[in-house]
Every structure is written in C-alpha cells, then in structure tokens.
Amino acid sequence: MKMRHLLGIMLLGFTLQAGAQTTAKSYKSPYDGNPISPCVFCADPTALVYDGRVYVYGSNDHQQFLANGKTGSNDYGAIKSLVVFSSDDMVNWTFHGTIDVGKLCNSWGWRFAASWAPSVTWRMGTNDKPEFFLYFANSGGSIGMLKADSPIGPWRSPLSKPMIDSSTPGVSPCNWIFDPGVVIDDNGVGWIAFGGGDPQSTGSALFPGNSRIAKLKPSMTQLDGSAVKLPAPYLFEASELNMMEGRYVYTYNTSWSDRNAWSSYEKRGNQPAPSTCSMCYMVTDNPLDPDAWEYRGEYVPNPGNYGYGWGNNHTHLQKFGDNYYLFYHSMMLEQKMNSGASGFRSIGVEKAVVNESTQHIEKVKMTTGGTPAIKNLDPYTLQQAETMSTSGGVNYEDFTNITKATTISTLGNDASRNMQVKMAAGAWTMLRNVDFGEEGAKSFTITASGTGKLELRMTTVGSKALATIEFSSTDLEEHTIDVDPSLFKGVKKLFLVFTEATNVQFDAWQFAPNGEDGITNVTSSDSQPSTIYDLSGTRLQEKPRGGIYIENGKKHIAK
C-alpha cells in the first residue's frame, strides 16, 4: 500500500511495558473517554469542525516529556510542535501526528522560541477552497500564525516573523503576549484575543490589564487597527473566542490572586467571585468597546476540584452537530502513570450545556467517563492504526519525518496513512462501539510489515482470541483471514492484540461484511453533524436567516 506523508508528522512508536507473554498495561480504562489520548501528553486544546469530523489541536507536552527523559517537571521550553487529533464519533480518536512549528518557522531565526496554546479556525476562500488558520503562543513574548489548505496540513508560515509582539499597536504594556483565541464572526470578519500574566504596575488583582482583543484584516495575517484592552476580571491566561447568535463569547482562565476586590466590581451582578484558576466567560455585541462586555461568571472549576491536579487550565468550547463540547486539560494520565514526572497534561472532553440564544454556559464537570459516542465505528471502511479509544504499551517515541513528500490526496482517517505504528509483543489498541451489523463480518485484513501474530478479542483485552492472523513481509502488505460472522456481529469493543511481533509496522485494518448491508444504522441518541457551516467552521442545523454560510463546499448569502 502506498504511504502518504504530511509535513511535520511524527512517527509513532509502540514499546512494550510488560512481558512478552502478557498484554501491556493501559493507563486509560476501556470504558472511559478521557483523556482522549491514552499515550500522548498534550494540553491547551482548541478545535474546529470540518467535513464531519472534529479536529483537536494542542500543545505537545509529550515533546517536553521525552526531552526530560520521561521524568522531572514540565517547564515547556522544549515544546516546539503541536499535536493534532480528530474524531467523528467522540470516543475513538485518530492521531495525525504533529505540526513541526519550529521547522516551519525556521526563517524567523531568533524570533522563534516555542509553540504553545494554539487557536484555530477556517473559512471558505474566494476560490471556493477551504483556508485554515492556526495561531500559537511563541513562548510568552509574541504570537505566530500558520496557514494550510486542510485541517491536517501541510502547514506553512505566511510570515517571516511573529504576527503580534510588543511593537504591535495597542499591545504594550502586556506581560505575556500569548494564548491567542481566534474566531470568524457572522460577517466573515476575523478577531483575535490574547494576553496574560500578573498585574501591570498600573493594574490590579481585579483588572491585571493584560488582556487584549483585535480585529483581523481579511488576510487573517495582520491586525486591522490597534488592539484594545478587554476588561476581564482576574484574568491570567487561556483566551478563546466563540460566536453565539451573533454575539462574541470570550473565555479565559482566572489568576491565583485573592478575591478581596470582588465587591468593588460594578458589573459582577449576582455572580460570586470566581474560584482560583477557574474558567470564566464574557459576552458582547461590540468587541472593541470595553464597556460593552458583560461578565457571565465561572463555567469550569479548576481540575484540582475533581482530583485531577492543580494548575491553570485552558479550554475550548466547540459545537459539533447539535451539541457543544468542552475541551480542557488535566493531569489524569500523569496521575495514573505515576512515573515521577510532573506537570504533564492531557486533553479531555465533556458535553457542555449551552443556551445559544442567551449565551449561557452551564458549569461543566470533569470526568474520566467523558462523552457518549455520537455514532458507531464502521469496521467495513479502512481504519488507521492510529485510531483508538485506548491502548497498552503505547509510547510516543519519535518525531522524525518518514519522507520529505508533503502531498495530500484525501482527508479523514485516510490522511494519517503517512504514519506507521511500530508494534511490540504484548502491545494492543482498542476501539469502542464497533458496529459489525446483524449479519456480521466474514474476513479481516491488516496492512503491516514485519513478522507477527495479531489476535482479535472482544469484551476485555484478556479475553480469548476470536480470530488470529499471522503474517510476515518485508514491505507493507495486506494480509487477510476469514472470520466467523457469528462472532463478529453487533456493536462491540474490539481489541487488536499483538502477541508476537518482530520489526512490525502496523498501518491499517479493515473487515469485509458477510451480507450486502454491512453496518447497521447508528443507535446513538445524539444527532449527527449537519452539512451547513458558518464562516467560523461551526456546523449549523439549518440555514441562517442572515449573513454568509457554506453548504456543500459552496459559499452562500442568506436572504
């Protein structure tokens, strides 16, 4: 099978953590949805929806984890790339590797320092082709941006230096010029919020004076006018932006400061003072008018309230189909690993209850269970080895490019064909809600190289094998076996367990249906994503009453 490659994508390595006669240990339960990755430390999530999938981007904490020798504390200095995951069912996540920001911004010279806390959006361009824009914190001193024609790249830096720094009009004084939050409004205008840090000399604990918001030019690569101060009480970091019913929703993380000045805040309404390092939000009709912002209160307590490690948080609110989802980070994976490392975060997701008409966000509770599936996984379409709900023996080992080619032919799961997964004996992956249909599957195909034995199991990783495939080839080839349809039917958990593996590279897998119908209808109670987008990339359930929207890849003006 021909391999495709994306710029900056990492090679994923699987290593054994248990003996060859046993299955490797997992740090995420097969019944849980969080964190989204069972093996990759990542943080500061942002997301977009495109072509029926939600794409999640984050800081690559794992790069620092490896640089530290998998021990010590996270000081973020080695993080010079971003991670990318996607899902169409909210429980099985495809790892698309990394965006090598350091390499892409090599022309910046000394101006490039790190890549943290991305924010991403997309729009349909003038040539009716999608344009994707990603903004990132270049350490704490500036904000850079990348552009691509697909959600997984290849990305490029359209600028030879950061887009925003201390010399940008309206920015100074701002302690930390970082943590961008971007959105495209209903009129197709881009906006970016950013900033953070301890109070300025002219600021206070209540209003530190470090939050900024600015309008973007149509190119999305420059500010359109000066940045203005955004009056966010107790702001510390983690800006993000959303649009709801034509209104701008700004979210941020609060500081460690005392709340003694809360009673002096005239716009507090009946809201209590936000708790330490919680997520709060504000709403407005006019982003550039500081007096027009309405404080709405806290919507996500600190992860420490749930036992998932104290520290600042960073969230992104994303609509997918009929539902809103809250992406955040916590120390769930680190705590379960108990390796002695500290400060390495993992991305989780929960369903959020949002009233769009009033822009009210109910408080979100962090859980290990996560979200329910919005659809079942189709085993009769090609599935990549990097798609999983959980796994054992999986470590993120390498980030070297497989090839210098940067072409893309398709999107979705197919986009990660550039990657291979190196398997060792005892390593395994698991997928949830695999729907074999009423007539079941008749055969199974794995695309792999090396010499190995793969067992297909259900219910638990320790269950007996329902089918076994042995293979040996020097190149990536398809290897097929027949399976018993009576064993592979209905909606199941599927474990792919490598009991033997020598130089095995695992690329993809697929079943063939026993009957003509194959997969059954989705049994989830949640609605499926629609096919209409607004200009920020949010799926809509019906055509808007005004403004511009995208339907079937074409731009339309609502009348």
Side-chain angles (χ1 to χ4, degrees):
M1 180 178 292
K2 185 178 179 181
M3 304 292 290
R4 301 180 185 83
H5 180 265
L6 305 178
L7 183 62
I9 294 295
M10 293 182 173
L11 180 65
L12 192 67
F14 277 46
T15 60
L16 184 62
Q17 294 178 329
Q21 302 303 314
T22 61
T23 54
K25 184 177 181 179
S26 176
Y27 300 104
K28 176 183 174 182
S29 165
Y31 303 96
D32 288 339
N34 286 325
I36 65 172
S37 172
C39 53
V40 178
F41 289 120
C42 46
D44 307 317
T46 188
L48 60 79
V49 173
Y50 180 74
D51 198 26
R53 298 184 71 84
V54 59
Y55 290 82
V56 178
Y57 307 75
S59 302
N60 187 7
D61 276 24
H62 216 94
Q63 191 170 20
Q64 185 72 57
F65 183 64
L66 296 178
N68 284 10
K70 301 182 182 180
T71 188
S73 61
N74 186 1
D75 64 8
Y76 318 114
I79 301 175
K80 303 181 188 300
S81 59
L82 302 168
V83 297
V84 187
F85 293 87
S86 76
S87 178
D88 64 355
D89 61 17
M90 298 303 293
V91 296
N92 297 299
W93 292 89
T94 301
F95 177 55
H96 295 288
T98 67
I99 304 170
D100 190 348
V101 184
K103 181 177 181 180
L104 295 176
C105 298
N106 183 59
S107 64
W108 294 14
W110 61 269
R111 294 182 180 88
F112 177 79
S115 54
W116 309 333
S119 186
V120 66
T121 190
W122 76 280
R123 70 183 180 192
M124 201 60 72
T126 56
N127 56 358
D128 285 333
K129 292 184 178 180
E131 297 176 312
F132 296 83
F133 304 94
L134 186 151
Y135 303 81
F136 63 92
N138 180 32
S139 188
S142 62
I143 292 169
M145 67 89 59
L146 303 173
K147 188 177 180 181
D149 298 323
S150 94
I152 52 173
W155 295 89
R156 59 189 181 277
S157 175
L159 304 174
S160 59
K161 61 180 182 179
M163 187 182 81
I164 300 172
D165 59 22
S166 59
S167 67
T168 303
V171 172
S172 291
C174 179
N175 283 351
W176 296 340
I177 306 170
F178 78 161
D179 285 11
V182 65
V183 74
I184 297 175
D185 69 20
D186 298 340
N187 296 313
V189 177
W191 298 86
I192 187 167
F194 57 93
D198 294 325
Q200 295 288 336
S201 59
T202 57
S204 65
L206 178 60
F207 291 113
N210 292 315
S211 182
R212 300 289 185 273
I213 191 166
K215 183 180 178 182
L216 293 169
K217 289 186 176 181
S219 66
M220 301 287 286
T221 62
Q222 292 178 292
L223 300 194
D224 188 357
S226 296
V228 302
K229 289 186 178 181
L230 201 162
Y234 298 112
L235 171 123
F236 191 65
E237 60 181 4
S239 296
E240 270 284 24
L241 288 169
N242 284 84
M243 292 298 301
M244 293 183 194
E245 296 286 326
R247 305 199 78 194
Y248 303 81
V249 180
Y250 171 68
T251 60
Y252 66 98
N253 185 254
T254 63
S255 68
W256 302 90
S257 300
D258 63 59
R259 303 305 194 239
N260 295 336
W262 185 246
S263 61
S264 67
Y265 179 37
E266 296 179 353
K267 291 189 175 183
R268 68 185 185 281
N270 60 356
Q271 296 288 345
S275 60
T276 299
C277 292
S278 63
M279 296 301 303
C280 294
Y281 71 112
M282 302 176 72
V283 177
T284 191
D285 294 311
N286 185 358
L288 298 180
D289 181 1
D291 293 331
W293 285 93
E294 306 167 16
Y295 176 77
R296 294 293 186 84
E298 176 183 301
Y299 69 98
V300 187
N302 188 277
N305 288 289
Y306 304 114
Y308 301 140
W310 281 95
N312 300 319
N313 208 339
H314 196 126
T315 69
H316 175 77
L317 196 64
Q318 181 64 54
K319 189 175 184 181
F320 186 32
D322 287 336
N323 298 305
Y324 273 92
Y325 296 91
L326 194 283
F327 292 93
Y328 60 92
H329 66 233
S330 73
M331 309 295 184
M332 287 183 189
L333 185 62
E334 176 190 277
Q335 289 179 341
K336 292 180 179 180
M337 287 181 66
N338 194 26
S339 66
S342 64
F344 295 96
R345 304 158 295 179
S346 299
I347 293 175
V349 60
E350 309 288 347
K351 186 181 287 187
V353 178
V354 176
N355 185 324
E356 292 181 318
S357 63
T358 62
Q359 301 84 51
H360 175 71
I361 308 170
E362 292 191 11
K363 281 195 175 183
V364 180
K365 181 179 180 180
M366 300 177 187
T367 67
T368 55
T371 67
I374 62 172
K375 62 181 294 188
N376 293 331
L377 185 143
D378 183 357
Y380 305 124
T381 61
L382 187 69
Q383 300 291 339
Q384 295 302 310
E386 302 83 34
T387 301
M388 65 188 77
S389 175
T390 189
S391 62
V394 178
N395 283 311
Y396 189 59
E397 296 290 359
D398 207 349
F399 50 97
T400 55
N401 294 332
I402 295 172
T403 173
K404 294 181 179 180
T406 58
T407 57
I408 295 176
S409 59
T410 56
L411 295 176
N413 278 356
D414 218 27
S416 63
R417 282 190 185 177
N418 63 287
M419 298 177 66
Q420 304 169 41
V421 179
K422 185 177 180 179
M423 302 299 292
W428 55 274
T429 64
M430 187 278 285
L431 300 103
R432 293 168 63 185
N433 294 75
V434 181
D435 194 342
F436 292 99
E438 296 180 358
E439 298 186 43
K442 66 179 181 181
S443 65
F444 172 78
T445 299
I446 181 177
T447 303
S449 63
T451 300
K453 179 187 289 187
L454 170 65
E455 293 187 356
L456 302 179
R457 305 177 184 179
M458 294 181 183
T459 309
T460 69
V461 69
S463 299
K464 72 174 184 178
L466 301 183
T468 301
I469 182 169
E470 298 186 46
F471 59 90
S472 183
S473 60
T474 56
D475 298 319
L476 283 174
E477 294 180 4
E478 293 183 347
H479 309 273
T480 301
I481 58 167
D482 293 333
V483 299
D484 184 347
S486 67
L487 299 178
F488 292 86
K489 64 190 303 183
V491 180
K492 307 290 186 180
K493 291 185 180 71
L494 177 66
F495 293 82
L496 292 85
V497 183
F498 284 79
T499 56
E500 298 178 12
T502 303
N503 298 322
V504 169
Q505 295 286 344
F506 179 27
D507 180 43
W509 60 271
Q510 184 174 7
F511 285 85
N514 185 44
E516 295 180 0
D517 295 335
I519 192 167
T520 60
N521 293 329
V522 173
T523 57
S524 171
S525 60
D526 289 346
S527 298
Q528 299 305 300
S530 67
T531 58
I532 303 172
Y533 299 92
D534 65 17
L535 291 180
S536 69
T538 298
R539 285 187 179 272
L540 305 175
Q541 294 306 302
E542 58 184 17
K543 296 178 182 178
R545 297 177 181 177
I548 303 171
Y549 65 95
I550 296 110
E551 183 175 15
N552 297 326
K554 300 293 183 180
K555 191 182 298 181
H556 301 272
I557 299 177
K559 298 179 180 179

